Amino acid sequence: MTGNDAQAERRQRLHELLLALIARQEDLELMDADGPSGFTSSGAGEGPAEAARWLDRNRRVLQHYQSLVRTAVTLDALLDAEQVLPSREI
């Protein structure tokens, strides 16, 4: 198998692992693409607080996705290790 084929196979495996992890999520939030409504208005002082809440929420959602990706990469590495190393019972 060539290097490109191995990379494509690994990428496909990671993709499938990530999709399986996402499918197991009961409540998967999406990032809020719209900015906070009060941020650009020159009205009350709630704009900065609303912007901070919006940024914090999107940061938490992004960290959750990053965690799913890291988990998929770890699972893939474990699968690779199982294929390379001979089976040993502990």
Side-chain angles (χ1 to χ4, degrees):
M1 184 180 304
T2 68
N4 287 339
D5 289 343
Q7 285 181 344
E9 183 180 318
R10 181 170 188 263
R11 190 178 329 226
Q12 180 64 33
R13 211 172 43 228
L14 282 170
H15 179 76
E16 290 170 4
L17 282 167
L18 186 57
L19 287 177
L21 288 169
I22 289 171
R24 294 195 45 91
Q25 301 296 303
E26 289 186 21
D27 186 24
L28 189 64
E29 294 184 73
L30 300 177
M31 293 183 71
D32 186 6
D34 298 329
S37 60
F39 189 61
T40 57
S41 67
S42 60
E46 182 62 24
E50 184 181 341
R53 284 190 296 273
W54 177 81
L55 284 171
D56 189 50
R57 181 191 174 282
N58 277 350
R59 181 187 54 79
R60 283 191 318 261
V61 171
L62 180 61
Q63 285 177 336
H64 184 73
Y65 277 103
Q66 288 172 328
S67 174
L68 289 172
V69 170
R70 283 191 300 270
T71 301
V73 169
T74 301
L75 289 172
D76 182 62
L78 288 171
L79 289 171
D80 270 350
E82 286 289 322
Q83 292 174 359
V84 173
L85 298 175
S87 297
R88 293 188 332 204
E89 292 187 32
I90 298 175

